[in-house]
Amino acid sequence: MFGRAIPIATEERNLNATAQLAAAVVPAAGRGERLGPGAPKALRELGGVPLLVHAVRALARSRAVGLVVVCAPPDGVAEVVGLLDSHGLEGDDVRVVAGGATRQESVRLGLAAIPADIRVVLVHDAARPLVPVEVVDAVAAAVRSGHPAVVPAVPLADTVKRVEPQLAGAPEPVLDTPDRSTLRAVQTPQGFDRAALHEVHLKALTEETSVTDDAGLIEHFGGRVVVVPGHEEAFKVTRPLDLVLAEAVLARRRATDGY
């Protein structure tokens, strides 16, 4: 049930042992219907390798991360364990647990699998397979510096309109045009003080919330979230066109960086 993602040299491991390492939770129990029928989104292949494997490797490349907890479909834990093992993920640095019916439940179950002495937790989408290691490092460092909730984000390239939703296909009246300079598109991994994240997940069990990420939970219950620079290659693979773009990015990395 455990796997190792990226071999780390002995001298690097000794340096890590003196640092405040983070644990990363990867909720991967969803099906990702927008990519079309077939395997769950996290198991779709990018360059011949499942998105989930790319995501775990991206996290493991950061010397700030000491443990990755993958939340698999409840009926697919053995499959995910076998998948990670088949890609050389063996050791004590990757743990697979059963996820829940929702992303929020999966993160809560992943948190429960993290050793009590780990104080920094990252939450990363399996569908963001190409996040650069410097983004992971920056998020973890910001949490260690005292920020209880940190998200990577990028400026918006398009003008955004706020509209009044209508029935599908009907014209939607524009309400206003927010100032684009104040808006950011949020990515993952998002980083948290472990105690703060645990607290809001417990509160969410007794109060219905409509947030879409863990930073939203922190905000919903009155916490403060800060933004650090994200990266254009940390985009989410949600639709078929995203997969085409990810293939192009991966091909460029393999050709120029030996990725």
Side-chain angles (χ1 to χ4, degrees):
M1 180 172 291
F2 300 95
R4 173 78 194 111
I6 300 295
I8 295 180
T10 301
E11 60 269 25
E12 289 182 304
R13 174 57 68 194
N14 289 340
L15 287 173
N16 278 345
T18 64
Q20 183 183 352
L21 295 180
V25 175
V26 182
R31 295 209 58 84
E33 302 295 343
R34 283 178 288 183
L35 268 178
K41 178 165 59 177
L43 303 185
R44 300 293 180 90
E45 290 193 349
L46 168 62
V49 176
L51 295 176
L52 175 61
V53 173
H54 283 290
V56 171
R57 286 176 173 169
L59 293 166
R61 285 188 176 92
S62 170
R63 291 174 58 195
V65 176
L67 172 68
V68 180
V69 178
V70 177
C71 303
D75 60 352
V77 172
E79 179 185 2
V80 171
V81 170
L83 174 71
L84 296 177
D85 286 345
S86 72
H87 285 83
L89 309 175
E90 16 183 80
D92 295 332
D93 296 356
V94 178
R95 180 173 300 177
V96 182
V97 300
T102 65
R103 183 184 190 279
Q104 189 169 301
E105 184 181 6
S106 289
V107 173
R108 180 166 48 82
L109 293 170
L111 275 173
I114 296 174
D117 60 337
I118 292 180
R119 300 303 180 193
V120 177
V121 175
L122 309 182
V123 181
H124 184 57
D125 297 330
R128 296 184 190 271
L130 300 174
V131 58
V133 68
E134 57 264 29
V135 175
V136 182
D137 291 343
V139 171
V143 178
R144 286 198 303 268
S145 72
H147 298 288
V150 179
V151 297
V154 293
L156 297 183
D158 299 317
T159 296
V160 176
K161 301 289 185 183
R162 194 168 65 89
V163 303
E164 182 179 334
Q166 303 294 312
L167 295 176
E172 297 177 323
V174 171
L175 299 177
D176 57 53
T177 304
D179 179 0
R180 188 174 65 187
S181 69
T182 68
L183 301 176
R184 299 291 182 270
V186 172
Q187 302 174 329
T188 70
Q190 299 182 355
F192 304 92
D193 172 81
R194 195 254 186 82
L197 185 59
H198 177 69
E199 179 182 359
V200 296
H201 271 276
L202 287 182
K203 289 181 178 179
L205 288 174
T206 59
E207 178 180 324
E208 184 176 345
T209 60
S210 59
V211 300
T212 58
D213 64 4
D214 295 275
L217 269 184
I218 295 286
E219 293 175 60
H220 179 78
F221 290 109
R224 182 172 181 266
V225 180
V226 300
V227 169
V228 297
H231 195 282
E232 61 183 4
E233 293 182 1
F235 61 89
K236 191 173 185 178
V237 177
T238 302
R239 298 176 176 83
L241 186 59
D242 300 325
L243 196 56
V244 173
L245 177 58
E247 291 280 3
V249 172
L250 182 62
R252 191 266 300 160
R253 287 188 183 183
R254 287 175 170 173
T256 61
D257 304 331
Y259 186 84

